[in-house]
């Protein structure tokens, strides 16, 4: 009952006219940013973060804006995936598998409407999951000490490392770069300047807004300038725009199952929407048996990944709010937003700032309804944004980003440093280094260092304190499993396929003999 009382108070915060307008603007901007290939939720939140801070929005309004943008981007990514076969963000990659074939068959309208409905169901189920699970996890996490927190952050980084596949060395390098950047500035314990190179502007560390805008927005603009060719023309919307009853019934259980799976994958720190959508697409394809047309325009192939990536995106808010650990790259940026307002995410956030937390959760319900209304009746309006040329988009995003960076500290150093970081981000992306591990390392670096120091201070320097409690041991085992497990599983799968190939070759040889 206490949970519902808090939720009603949250609706009182999110339901003020100002916050409703902010949520509406965030949903619209998020959908537009999400449908533009390349930008995605991280860039969307990164670009809006300094703007929200510069506008002196109160913390609850700023978080409502950023969460609405995040949710809008997750909805918007499917539009370009279905109409031009180019996903707006990585989470919508699997939507292209069946969304684009449906559009080529003249079913673009039903594909867009069913994906909007699945996104809505996935988001609503995940928000309900946040209401019930986040307070429980928050109360449990109060028992965490510095050693447990350090192990938890190692687990978060391991989750990311275990799920990046063959690019683990590059992800590790990016993560180490982020950890190194988090060390810049005055050491809070000893007062020693670290890696500042006598530059006064770096004495407080690298500003979070500068690093986010530089690595994401500026590097993305450089990539846009590099790809000067015209984008693909979207498939025209003709025929019916809504799904029929048969299509709705066909995807019903697929959407529900994918929402639940996507939510729990999202709760896992570092997993993210891409893993959720790929896993649920494969799951539904296997469960469909022979009665399917996956890959050729099956409505379940559109519904499942969309429900999963939205549920996963919302689920990733749980570790952010309850443990202070980002569940994805986008939530890592949102943790930076909290720190800008001197709010420490973690177990005590629900007790210290209940109006902010529950206002944020209530706004997710409201934003979902807004997004459903926007993404079905207003879909023709959003499709027009796919025709926006780069010569208009690049200066627009550059102006918004640089004004946002300058407005935080009003120094030209931030602008120059942001462009420099943008160049570094561009080089990393050209060489296929993932940027999300870098930002996760940067966000977690300071917290890891502080918790490690506290744990070692308590134990007079004994490293055994890191493995002393059952919670720590479970977290260390989980970290090892996340690093080793996927590779062992992949090796077993390859061995199984190799054996099947040998058996097939032997059968062919016997038949030939």
């Amino acid at each position: 009952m206490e949970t519902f009382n808090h939720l009603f108070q949250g609706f009182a915060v999110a339901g003020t006219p100002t916050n409703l307008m902010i949520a509406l603007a965030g949903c619209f901007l998020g959908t537009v940013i999400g449908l533009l290939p390349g930008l995605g939720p991280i860039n969307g939140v990164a670009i809006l973060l300094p703007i929200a801070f510069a506008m002196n929005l109160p913390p609850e309004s700023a978080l409502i804006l950023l969460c609405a943008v995040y949710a809008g981007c997750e909805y918007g990514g499917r539009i370009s995936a279905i109409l031009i076969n180019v996903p707006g963000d990585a989470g919508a990659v699997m939507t292209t598998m069946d969304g684009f074939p449906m559009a080529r068959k003249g079913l673009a309208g039903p594909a867009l409407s069913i994906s909007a409905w699945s996104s809505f169901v996935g988001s609503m189920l995940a928000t309900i999951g946040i209401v019930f699970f986040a307070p429980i996890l928050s109360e449990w996490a109060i028992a965490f000490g510095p050693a447990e927190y350090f192990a938890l952050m190692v687990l978060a980084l391991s989750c990311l490392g275990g799920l990046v596949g063959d690019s683990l060395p590059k992800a590790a390098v990016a993560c180490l770069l982020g950890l190194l950047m988090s060390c810049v500035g005055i050491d809070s314990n000893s007062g020693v300047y670290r890696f500042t190179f006598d530059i006064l502007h770096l004495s407080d560390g690298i500003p979070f807004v500068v690093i986010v805008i530089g690595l994401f927005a500026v590097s993305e603009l450089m990539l846009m300038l590099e790809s000067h060719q015209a984008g693909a023309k979207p498939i025209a919307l003709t025929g019916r725009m809504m799904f029929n009853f048969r299509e709705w019934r066909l995807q019903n259980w697929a959407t529900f199952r994918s929402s639940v799976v996507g939510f729990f994958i999202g709760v896992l720190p570092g997993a993210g929407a891409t893993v959720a959508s790929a896993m649920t697409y494969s799951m539904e394809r296997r469960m469909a048996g022979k009665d399917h047309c996956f890959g050729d325009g099956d409505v379940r192939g559109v519904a499942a990944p969309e429900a999963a990536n939205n549920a996963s995106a919302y689920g990733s808010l749980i570790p952010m709010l309850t443990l202070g650990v980002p569940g994805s790259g986008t939530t890592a940026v949102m943790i930076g937003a909290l720190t800008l307002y001197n709010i420490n995410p973690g177990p005590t956030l629900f007790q210290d700032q209940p109006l902010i937390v529950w206002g944020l959760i209530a706004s997710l319900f409201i934003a979902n309804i807004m997004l459903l209304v926007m993404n079905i009746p207003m879909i023709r309006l959003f499709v027009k944004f796919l025709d926006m040329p780069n010569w208009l988009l690049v200066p627009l995003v550059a102006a918004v980003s640089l004004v946002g960076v300058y407005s935080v500290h009003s120094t030209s150093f931030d602008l120059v440093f942001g462009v420099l970081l943008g160049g570094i981000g561009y080089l990393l992306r050209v060489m296929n280094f993932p940027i999300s591990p870098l930002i996760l390392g940067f966000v977690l670096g300071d917290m890891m260092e502080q918790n490690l120091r506290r744990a070692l201070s308590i134990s007079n320097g004994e490293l055994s304190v890191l493995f002393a409690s059952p919670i720590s041991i479970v977290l260390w085992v989980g970290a090892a499993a996340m690093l080793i497990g996927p590779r062992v599983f992949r090796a077993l799968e390859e061995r199984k396929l190799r054996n099947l190939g040998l058996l097939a070759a032997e059968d062919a040889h016997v038949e030939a003999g």
Side-chain angles (χ1 to χ4, degrees), residues 275-332:
V275 176
S277 60
M279 191 177 290
T280 53
Y281 182 86
S282 304
M283 180 182 77
E284 290 302 323
R285 183 169 184 154
R286 281 198 300 271
M287 291 182 72
K290 294 181 180 178
D291 183 23
H292 71 83
C293 54
F294 273 85
D296 194 31
D298 196 302
V299 71
R300 291 166 292 185
V302 177
E306 279 305 310
N309 73 35
N310 280 271
S312 172
Y314 281 61
S316 66
L317 293 173
I318 288 186
M320 181 193 89
L321 293 173
T322 58
L323 303 173
V325 174
S328 64
T330 310
T331 49

Side-chain angles (χ1 to χ4, degrees), residues 186-485:
I186 299 175
D187 181 359
S188 56
N189 290 339
S190 63
V192 173
Y193 284 80
R194 301 189 303 192
F195 310 116
T196 57
F197 305 102
D198 294 329
I199 300 173
L200 186 62
H201 295 285
L202 291 179
S203 56
D204 289 332
I206 301 174
F208 183 78
V209 170
V210 176
I211 198 169
V212 167
I213 289 288
L215 287 176
F216 288 105
V218 176
S219 66
E220 187 62 44
L221 293 175
M222 291 178 178
L223 288 173
M224 282 183 178
L225 290 172
E226 188 184 56
S227 60
H228 49 78
Q229 74 274 11
K233 292 293 290 181
I235 291 177
L237 291 175
T238 55
R240 62 188 171 92
M241 293 300 298
M242 276 297 290
F243 52 86
N244 58 30
F245 180 70
R246 188 188 68 80
E247 290 164 341
W248 177 80
R249 198 176 58 177
L250 186 62
Q251 58 78 42
N252 224 0
W253 282 109
T255 295
F256 179 76
R257 283 190 296 266
S258 301
S259 302
V260 175
V261 173
F263 171 71
F264 284 106
I265 291 175
V267 172
L268 197 64
T274 310
V275 176
S277 60
M279 191 177 290
T280 53
Y281 182 86
S282 304
M283 180 182 77
E284 290 302 323
R285 183 169 184 154
R286 281 198 300 271
M287 291 182 72
K290 294 181 180 178
D291 183 23
H292 71 83
C293 54
F294 273 85
D296 194 31
D298 196 302
V299 71
R300 291 166 292 185
V302 177
E306 279 305 310
N309 73 35
N310 280 271
S312 172
Y314 281 61
S316 66
L317 293 173
I318 288 186
M320 181 193 89
L321 293 173
T322 58
L323 303 173
V325 174
S328 64
T330 310
T331 49
V333 179
M334 292 174 72
I335 283 184
L338 287 171
T339 55
L340 278 177
Y341 284 95
N342 293 320
I343 298 172
N344 293 319
T348 58
L349 185 62
F350 276 79
Q351 283 81 36
D352 296 342
Q353 306 282 354
L355 288 180
I356 291 177
V357 176
W358 288 103
L360 169 67
I361 295 172
S363 76
L364 295 177
F365 285 106
I366 296 170
N368 271 320
I369 295 169
M370 289 177 175
L371 284 165
L372 182 67
V373 173
M374 280 184 187
N375 278 271
I376 291 184
M378 295 172 60
I379 189 64
R380 290 182 188 277
L381 171 65
F382 288 112
V383 171
K384 292 186 185 300
F385 283 96
L386 285 174
D387 293 325
M388 185 182 291
N390 276 359
W391 62 262
L392 178 61
L393 181 63
V394 170
L396 186 66
V397 175
V400 172
S401 303
L402 296 180
V403 167
V405 167
Y406 184 77
S407 60
V408 175
H409 292 128
S410 302
T411 63
S412 55
F413 174 82
D414 286 353
L415 288 176
V416 175
F417 197 51
V419 174
L420 179 65
L421 286 173
I424 295 172
Y426 168 77
L427 291 175
L428 289 174
R429 294 173 75 168
V430 167
M431 293 187 287
N432 293 321
F433 280 84
I435 299 294
S436 292
L438 195 157
I439 205 71
L440 281 174
F442 181 77
V443 169
L444 293 179
D446 184 55
M447 289 190 280
M448 285 182 76
E449 182 185 358
Q450 296 304 325
N451 281 296
L452 178 62
R453 281 184 164 184
R454 284 179 200 144
L456 294 177
S457 298
I458 292 169
S459 66
N460 289 324
E462 289 290 332
L463 283 174
S464 58
V465 71
L466 300 176
F467 312 94
S469 73
I471 295 175
S472 298
I473 294 170
V474 170
L475 292 170
W476 282 109
V477 170
M482 287 309 301
L483 274 177
I484 300 168

Side-chain angles (χ1 to χ4, degrees), residues 27-299:
C27 290
F28 183 83
L29 288 172
T31 307
V32 173
I33 293 170
L35 69 87
L36 296 172
L39 287 182
I42 294 184
N43 285 313
V45 174
I47 292 168
L48 269 292
L49 168 60
I51 300 294
F53 188 72
M55 289 169 66
N56 289 323
L57 291 179
E60 63 274 14
S61 300
L63 281 178
I64 287 171
L65 173 66
L66 298 181
C67 279
V69 170
Y70 187 19
C73 287
E74 296 298 333
Y75 271 73
R78 80 196 201 287
I79 298 175
S80 53
I82 291 170
L83 293 181
I84 59 175
N85 203 26
V86 179
D89 65 314
V93 168
M94 300 311 294
T95 310
T96 61
M97 305 289 283
D98 285 273
F100 189 63
M102 281 186 74
R104 293 180 68 179
K105 291 177 182 176
L107 296 172
L112 287 167
S113 57
I114 204 73
S115 58
W117 171 254
S118 302
S119 300
F120 174 74
V121 173
S123 302
M124 289 302 266
L125 287 176
T127 310
I128 293 169
I130 293 174
V131 171
F132 286 101
F133 286 104
I136 297 171
L137 187 59
S138 175
E139 288 180 11
W140 177 65
I142 289 176
F144 279 31
E148 288 79 10
Y149 261 111
F150 180 75
L152 177 69
M153 287 161 196
V154 173
L155 171 63
L157 295 179
S158 303
C159 287
L160 187 73
L163 295 164
V164 291
D166 296 332
S167 59
L168 176 61
K170 291 184 176 179
V173 170
C175 184
L176 286 174
L177 272 175
L179 291 172
L180 186 64
M181 286 180 173
S182 71
C183 295
V184 174
I186 299 175
D187 181 359
S188 56
N189 290 339
S190 63
V192 173
Y193 284 80
R194 301 189 303 192
F195 310 116
T196 57
F197 305 102
D198 294 329
I199 300 173
L200 186 62
H201 295 285
L202 291 179
S203 56
D204 289 332
I206 301 174
F208 183 78
V209 170
V210 176
I211 198 169
V212 167
I213 289 288
L215 287 176
F216 288 105
V218 176
S219 66
E220 187 62 44
L221 293 175
M222 291 178 178
L223 288 173
M224 282 183 178
L225 290 172
E226 188 184 56
S227 60
H228 49 78
Q229 74 274 11
K233 292 293 290 181
I235 291 177
L237 291 175
T238 55
R240 62 188 171 92
M241 293 300 298
M242 276 297 290
F243 52 86
N244 58 30
F245 180 70
R246 188 188 68 80
E247 290 164 341
W248 177 80
R249 198 176 58 177
L250 186 62
Q251 58 78 42
N252 224 0
W253 282 109
T255 295
F256 179 76
R257 283 190 296 266
S258 301
S259 302
V260 175
V261 173
F263 171 71
F264 284 106
I265 291 175
V267 172
L268 197 64
T274 310
V275 176
S277 60
M279 191 177 290
T280 53
Y281 182 86
S282 304
M283 180 182 77
E284 290 302 323
R285 183 169 184 154
R286 281 198 300 271
M287 291 182 72
K290 294 181 180 178
D291 183 23
H292 71 83
C293 54
F294 273 85
D296 194 31
D298 196 302
V299 71

